Structure formats: structure tokens, C-alpha cells
Amino acid sequence: MPTANIAVVGLAVMGSNLARNLASREGNTVAVYNRTTQKTDDLIAAHPEAEFVKAATMQELADSLQKPRTAIIMVKAGRPTDAVIDELVSVFEPGDIIVDGGNALFTDTIRREAAVRETGIHFVGCGISGGEEGALNGPSLMPGGTAESYETLGPILERIAAVAEGEPCVTHVGTDGAGHFVKMVHNGIEYADMQLIAEAYDLIRRGTGKSPAEIADIFDAWNGGELESYLIEITAEVLRQVDAETGTPLVDVILDAAGAKGTGAWTVQTALDLGVPVSGIAEAVFARSLSSRLAQREAATDLPGPSDAWTVADPEAFVEDVRKALFASKIIAYSQGFDEIVAAAEEHGWEIQKGEVARIWRAGCIIRARFLNDITSAYAENPDLPALLLAPYFRDALGQTQEAWRRVVVAAAQAGIPAPAFSSSLSYYDGLRADRLPAALVQGQRDFFGAHTYRRVDKDGTFHTQWSGDRTEVEAVDTH
Ligand code: 6PG
């Protein structure tokens, strides 16, 4: 007699926590399956209150589920996910729902959704953000897939999601791979956010000589204002942590080589294909790559730097400038991330509500922040903003912070301190607002060596100068 209304396949920490979250909600009976049955037995034994339904095989899993059978896969992205999908397809029927809750590349999800749809089964790629704690107590959830599958899945996810301003942080993001795509952009913004915070810390530490614990106090103070966010909050915790072995700040004994599982790189690769500048996110990804090139860095340590030692005349004023530069650069990173969402929605035929995306990022996910309320409001006021940063609130914020932002970028450059996310974000801002860009010269260069033609500001058409001849300009005939 099928008694479960939802199943979780894959019981590592994230899967186990998600299963426990599901089981804790009124009306759910959760079936659980793991390739290694011992893991299933251990979870059931550790949490009798969850009243899990054990499935030792995929057939048992299918038999335990009420229709439409719904199973959430929580295994490693890539081949392991494909293997589990194949197993579920073999025991599920048309109308059933397979959900991939991993960090899959959205193009894999598009492929999988098309393949599984052939069987009449729904396939949903669902971004789940918030780490292990979020999976247990309330993540932000970004499901794609069909509207029909959301009719069954939505109410289940709404009961386990984090809640912001009384609303569950879940929405049907869009069809096929839209959910995993938006999760990917979430991670790209996460990279930028983390890099910007790291640059702020580095500049204050090296500019003022304050200790990690003193800088933690600064971040705590910032967390009381417009920068309030999970990442600012945990940064203070990390900076306060003292290494038990050495008695020194933990941040000083951690090897300064950042890892990455790949979602930030995917965000940048996708943006490059879409032609969307995501410079803040890209610099964050590259900063992790540079930090990990330890041999090259070792060989480069004696490269000449600034001749003068760096002193900050007014540390408190400098700290306030850094706070403003951080807020301004954060606006750029989010604006670029939403630009990528707009471009991809157009490319893939998704109807993604940007306000809804901001709304469900207000709690549960890693980039949760007070600031997301302002983004939600900005898109509620004007869903068709040409760019998020052009919303009145953000335009004003940039106006009030741009001078401080410039001072910080100048100080970093003169002090020889790398601030790639701060400085690239400022260049992006200045590029966007410039009335003329040196791209005109680039077009001239391209036409000179490749006859790639150019357009003019004063008349329609495309033109080519006969550089190797009499240098007269001719109207280019469209040869395509
Ligand atoms: C989340 C996180 C998570 C992230 C891992 C690894 O939303 O819960 O973004 O999905 O992938 O924490 O991130 P890295 O790419 O930095 O290794």
C-alpha cells in the first residue's frame, strides 16, 4: 500500500537533511533510498521521529509512493545523476515526477528534461540553496520543469522552504532548465559577493593594521545597515575564529588558495556565450584561479611594487569608504547577474519573473540579504528595468557612493593591493555611463586588418575604408 507522498534518493548530508526537513512538515510521508542501504538504515535509526519509509530498491521506492510518484534526487551532478534518472525512469510511469536537486549545469537539465519527457514522466531541475543547514531548516528553492509538475511539487516545496516576509522562498522559475540556470546565477553572484567582502577585508587589514577580530567588529556594524546579509554575518564569525593549535587568527593559518566546484565558472562561460558582461562575477572566479596558482605566485613574489609604504591618514574615513565601495560593487554584481537572467530567458524562451527570483533569494540561500528586498521592490515597480542598477534606489545609492568607491580603487592601485572585483565593477559602471567608448577605435582596427566594417554615428548603413588603397570609404554590401 503506497503511503509516501515524496521520496529522497541519495542520503549524503544534503539529502538526509532535506529528507528530515520534508518529514518534519505536516502531511508528508517520506520514502528514502540510498545506493548503500546502510546509509538508509542509519538515517532511519537516527531519526525515528521522521517515520521514514525505507526503500531498499528503486522498485520498492516506486511501490511506496502515491501517484503522481515524486522523487528528489540528491546525488553528485554529472554521471551519478544520469544513472539515478535512468533507474527512476525504469520504475516510474507517465505523470510521475523526477526532481534533480543537485547543482547540475542547466544545459544538462535541458537535455535530460527533453529525454525524460519522451517517457511521459516530468523532469524538474531544482536549484536548492542554503547548504546543509538550509536543506534541514529551510532552503531557497528554484524549481524549473513543467507547470503541471509544479502543481504537485510546488505545495511540497513551499512547506519546506525558508520564509521571508511571510512568504515561502520558492517559485516556479520557468520551464526545463530555468531553475538550475537561476541557481547557477545565484552562485555566480555568491562568488562576487564573497570576493568583494574578501577585498574589503584585505584593504582594511593592510591599510589600517586592524586585527581580524577588530575587522569582525566592523563587519558586525555593517551588518546592521544596508549591507546586512548572511555572507557579512558569517565573515565576522570566520574573522573572529582563533586557531586552537597556534592561538592565531584562523584566517591567518588558512592557505590563501580558494577552491571552486564550478558553478561560478559556468555563470561566466554562459554569460560570455550570451554576450553579457558579468565583470564582477568573472573577476571573482579569476581571483580564485589566481590564488590557486601557487607555484606561479611563488615565482612572482619579487616583482617590483609601489616604492612608497602605504599609510591611511584617516582609518575611520577609509573604513567608511570601503563600506561604500563594497555596497556599490555589490549593486553592480547583482545587476550583472540579473542581466544574464534576462538574456538567457530570451535565448531559451523562459518567462522568468525577476522580481520573483529576488523575492525567493531573500531568505534561505547563501546570498540572502536585506538588499534583496530593495531588488524585489525595484522589479515590482518596474519589471522591465533596462538594468537593475538604473532603478531609482540603486541609481541614488551609486551616486552617493561612487566618489568613495573611486578613492578606494585608487588607494588599492597605489598601494599595490589587488582589488579586481572593486576595480572591474567601477570600470563597468563607468563604461555603462560613458557617452563615447573607445570601441570606435576597435571597430577601426578591425576594419583595417579584417575589413570587418563599421557603422557610423551620423548615417545608417555599414562601411569599410579601403585602407590598402586610396583610403576612401565605401558602403559595405551585406554579403551574408
Ligand atoms: C548554495 C551554495 C552551494 C555551493 C557550494 C560550493 O547555494 O548552497 O552555493 O550550492 O555550490 O557551497 O560552492 P563553490 O563553487 O564555492 O565550491
Side-chain angles (χ1 to χ4, degrees):
M1 171 66 182
T3 56
N5 65 309
I6 185 77
V8 175
V9 176
L11 301 175
V13 178
M14 282 291 286
S16 297
N17 282 358
L18 192 71
R20 289 171 55 197
N21 185 346
L22 285 161
S24 71
R25 309 296 169 161
E26 190 63 35
N28 283 342
T29 300
V30 183
V32 287
Y33 169 87
N34 195 79
R35 192 160 47 84
T36 311
T37 308
Q38 187 57 53
K39 263 196 187 238
T40 311
D41 295 338
D42 293 349
L43 176 65
I44 292 171
H47 298 284
E49 78 287 354
E51 296 178 326
F52 289 124
V53 174
K54 175 180 176 178
T57 67
M58 278 299 185
Q59 189 55 57
E60 278 185 23
L61 187 83
D63 296 344
S64 70
L65 282 165
Q66 298 156 356
K67 295 181 181 179
R69 300 182 187 83
T70 307
I72 302 177
I73 301 171
M74 294 297 286
V75 300
K76 280 189 187 314
R79 276 199 292 275
T81 297
D82 282 314
V84 171
I85 292 169
D86 291 345
E87 288 181 271
L88 282 170
V89 166
S90 69
V91 295
F92 271 22
E93 295 169 2
D96 290 346
I97 303 163
I98 298 173
V99 183
D100 175 10
N103 265 340
L105 179 59
F106 77 98
T107 48
D108 286 344
T109 301
I110 291 172
R111 167 179 56 81
R112 290 167 175 151
E113 196 275 341
V116 172
R117 186 178 344 126
E118 294 295 310
T119 68
I121 296 169
H122 297 279
F123 182 78
V124 175
C126 182
I128 300 178
S129 179
E132 296 160 8
E133 193 276 333
L136 181 61
N137 299 315
S140 169
L141 295 147
M142 295 152 259
T146 58
E148 187 186 340
S149 62
Y150 195 74
E151 284 171 20
T152 300
L153 188 62
I156 296 173
L157 297 183
E158 284 166 13
R159 289 206 299 272
I160 63 166
V163 176
E165 315 284 324
E167 298 175 312
C169 292
V170 55
T171 190
H172 181 216
V173 173
T175 51
D176 57 64
H180 272 151
F181 169 80
V182 162
K183 172 58 168 72
M184 176 193 79
V185 174
H186 162 278
N187 280 35
I189 291 172
E190 173 190 301
Y191 276 49
D193 233 336
M194 293 165 71
Q195 176 64 23
L196 289 166
I197 290 171
E199 289 178 18
Y201 151 76
D202 195 33
L203 286 163
I204 293 172
R205 178 102 191 253
R206 295 184 336 153
T208 69
K210 289 180 187 292
S211 69
E214 289 171 319
I215 300 172
D217 293 340
I218 291 171
F219 277 112
D220 275 344
W222 289 358
N223 204 37
E226 60 204 358
L227 280 171
E228 181 190 346
S229 64
Y230 171 72
L231 285 171
I232 290 279
E233 180 190 332
I234 68 166
T235 295
E237 295 305 312
V238 171
L239 290 176
R240 255 191 210 100
Q241 185 66 19
V242 174
D243 174 46
E245 202 172 314
T246 60
T248 59
L250 179 64
V251 71
D252 288 342
V253 296
I254 292 175
L255 180 66
D256 60 337
K261 289 191 182 137
T263 48
W266 292 345
T267 308
V268 180
Q269 288 157 351
T270 303
L272 287 169
D273 293 339
L274 290 166
V276 176
V278 291
S279 42
I281 297 171
E283 287 298 345
V285 173
F286 286 139
R288 294 196 188 190
S289 308
L290 185 150
S291 74
S292 298
R293 297 171 70 83
L294 294 172
Q296 194 174 49
R297 288 176 54 198
E298 180 59 35
T301 48
D302 59 353
L303 281 173
S307 47
D308 306 330
W310 182 34
T311 51
V312 169
D314 181 344
E316 298 321 309
F318 179 69
V319 166
E320 177 56 8
D321 274 357
V322 172
R323 187 192 66 79
K324 288 178 176 175
L326 176 55
F327 189 56
S329 303
K330 180 173 172 157
I331 292 169
I332 298 299
Y334 281 70
S335 190
Q336 291 176 341
F338 277 96
D339 278 354
E340 183 169 355
I341 290 174
V342 170
E346 195 175 319
E347 172 83 6
H348 294 283
W350 297 324
E351 290 182 18
I352 298 180
Q353 306 299 322
K354 297 180 289 295
E356 274 293 277
V357 170
R359 182 184 69 75
I360 68 169
W361 282 352
R362 292 179 299 174
C365 65
I366 301 294
I367 64 171
R368 60 187 183 264
R370 177 190 303 188
F371 170 87
L372 278 152
N373 284 311
D374 302 307
I375 298 177
T376 305
S377 307
Y379 280 124
E381 202 171 303
N382 180 359
D384 301 318
L385 280 167
L388 175 63
L389 62 84
L390 295 175
Y393 172 79
F394 294 112
R395 179 196 287 266
D396 293 347
L398 289 166
Q400 290 156 26
T401 53
Q402 57 107 15
E403 294 290 358
W405 193 10
R406 296 180 191 285
R407 287 193 294 269
V408 169
V409 169
V410 165
Q414 284 178 333
I417 294 175
F422 275 164
S423 46
S424 68
S425 302
L426 179 58
S427 287
Y428 170 85
Y429 174 73
D430 285 335
L432 203 59
R433 64 184 198 85
D435 54 7
R436 282 286 283 166
L437 288 170
L441 177 57
V442 170
Q443 284 295 79
Q445 294 161 338
R446 293 178 69 243
D447 190 55
F448 189 104
F449 62 68
H452 292 303
T453 74
Y454 53 84
R455 290 180 291 158
R456 294 174 58 101
V457 295
D458 55 1
K459 56 183 172 183
D460 290 341
T462 54
F463 303 89
H464 165 61
T465 292
Q466 299 179 111
W467 300 100
S468 54
D470 59 9
R471 303 219 165 175
T472 53
E473 179 180 85
V474 293
E475 184 139 11
V477 177
D478 186 352
T479 54
H480 298 292

